[in-house]
Amino acid sequence: MELSLAHPALKAFMCGSLSGTCSTLLFQPLDLVKTRLQTLQSSMQPGSGRVGMMSVLLSVVRKDNLLGLWKGVSPSFVRTIPGVGIYFSTYYSLKQHLSQDGSPGALQAVLLGGGARTVAGVVMLPVTVVKTRFECGRYSYASVIGALRSVCQTEGPAALFSGLMATLLRDVPFSGIYVMFYSQTKASLPKDIKESPSAPLANFGCGLLAGVLASLITQPADVVKTHVQVNQKMRTMEAIKYIFTEHGVQGFFRGAVPRSLRRTMMAAMAWTVYEQMMAHIGLKS
């Protein structure tokens, strides 16, 4: 047992899981608001009044009180704790093979981020489907296990992997782009900043910049993924056609503000906490 616990990849898994837990708890309300904004498209008529982030947030609070903003946090935890752990342990393992001599280059960073996200995304997709349904407010599942069982019984096990293509089209580019911008921006920091006590804050700033850019580029795929997972019989191409026909190009960017805020803050915090914890236990992240 001591040997397995001392394995660097397992340590990376534990550090990643803890960092993901902290960021999920803090930013779950933004994810819920993003999902509600995107699924409102299905019930709105073209040309109807614009529904913004604050109006959705206030509506949730009025209906379900302040704690309603954390609806879906259980499946988020079930997904994030192992999911982020899988992501960082896969990233760490891949990095040992692709970039053993220090900071990865731009192409290596894209491959590292995209490869790690592919593994974590496929493994955790069933929980992601359940999480999206919890947040949209259309389903009344009592628990994560109950939701998984209900989906299997009523729609078949394949439904737990609905939106796989859209999820990968969103998450793999996001992670690849994020890691590329983050690693290159961090590498460009002056040496005195890297070695100063303010290094974690500087790294967090690099993460914010990388997150904004990656979020905006992958926003359309996120909208499509949400529609596929919420609407039981809708496929990826059908969702794309529906969104464009009913709401135009701007429909693909609904929920961009809360998603950008959440993804950017979560990624920046997760990477900062992960790197600090890895340094604390004597491993190079």
Side-chain angles (χ1 to χ4, degrees):
M1 179 64 71
E2 291 183 2
L3 287 176
S4 64
L5 286 177
H7 195 283
L10 181 56
K11 290 182 178 180
F13 177 90
M14 296 170 65
C15 293
S17 295
L18 181 57
S19 69
T21 301
C22 297
S23 56
T24 296
L25 183 61
L26 284 173
F27 303 119
Q28 174 64 19
L30 289 172
D31 200 27
L32 182 138
V33 171
K34 179 269 298 184
T35 300
R36 295 289 176 92
L37 278 172
Q38 292 177 353
T39 53
L40 275 173
Q41 292 182 137
S42 299
S43 58
M44 290 177 61
Q45 296 296 322
S48 59
R50 180 179 177 83
V51 178
M53 175 180 165
M54 289 305 301
S55 60
V56 171
L57 189 148
L58 293 174
S59 174
V60 172
V61 173
R62 282 195 296 266
K63 182 179 178 181
D64 300 314
N65 67 49
L66 193 63
L67 291 178
L69 293 172
W70 275 266
K71 188 172 185 178
V73 75
S74 295
S76 288
F77 277 140
V78 173
R79 183 188 70 159
T80 299
I81 293 175
V84 178
I86 291 170
Y87 173 82
F88 278 117
S89 60
T90 304
Y91 172 86
Y92 180 87
S93 298
L94 289 174
K95 188 178 178 183
Q96 303 312 301
H97 292 86
L98 291 177
S99 179
Q100 298 178 350
D101 56 349
S103 180
L107 180 58
Q108 289 177 323
V110 171
L111 294 175
L112 287 170
R117 180 53 61 196
T118 299
V119 173
V122 172
V123 172
M124 301 308 301
L125 186 61
V127 182
T128 302
V129 172
V130 169
K131 167 187 166 296
T132 302
R133 293 189 177 192
F134 264 92
E135 293 171 351
C136 77
R138 297 183 187 178
Y139 298 85
S140 301
Y141 299 128
S143 66
V144 175
I145 299 299
L148 291 170
R149 186 183 301 115
S150 175
V151 173
C152 284
Q153 291 174 347
T154 60
E155 303 170 47
L160 292 175
F161 290 89
S162 62
L164 174 61
M165 185 59 65
T167 299
L168 293 179
L169 287 174
R170 176 199 66 172
D171 288 350
V172 173
F174 175 90
S175 185
I177 293 168
Y178 180 91
V179 174
M180 179 188 69
F181 281 123
Y182 178 68
S183 61
Q184 299 306 300
T185 305
K186 192 174 72 166
S188 68
L189 291 174
K191 185 177 180 180
D192 57 338
I193 293 180
K194 293 180 183 179
E195 298 176 353
S196 71
S198 62
L201 184 59
N203 292 343
F204 188 81
C206 294
L208 292 179
L209 176 61
V212 169
L213 295 173
S215 293
L216 292 177
I217 292 171
T218 58
Q219 176 64 22
D222 184 68
V223 177
V224 173
K225 185 245 6 162
T226 299
H227 276 270
V228 172
Q229 292 179 345
V230 169
N231 300 290
Q232 299 176 5
K233 297 182 179 180
M234 184 176 285
R235 299 190 180 278
T236 300
M237 291 308 299
E238 294 172 342
I240 293 172
K241 182 178 179 181
Y242 170 80
I243 296 167
F244 181 76
T245 301
E246 297 294 329
H247 303 281
V249 175
Q250 64 268 29
F252 291 100
F253 291 89
R254 185 177 292 273
V257 173
R259 176 176 179 260
S260 294
L261 285 173
R262 174 187 171 274
R263 287 301 296 266
T264 298
M265 297 295 289
M266 280 192 69
M269 174 173 285
W271 274 91
T272 301
V273 173
Y274 165 75
E275 291 181 333
Q276 290 301 111
M277 290 185 65
M278 291 288 279
H280 183 72
I281 61 178
L283 290 176
K284 184 177 178 59
S285 58

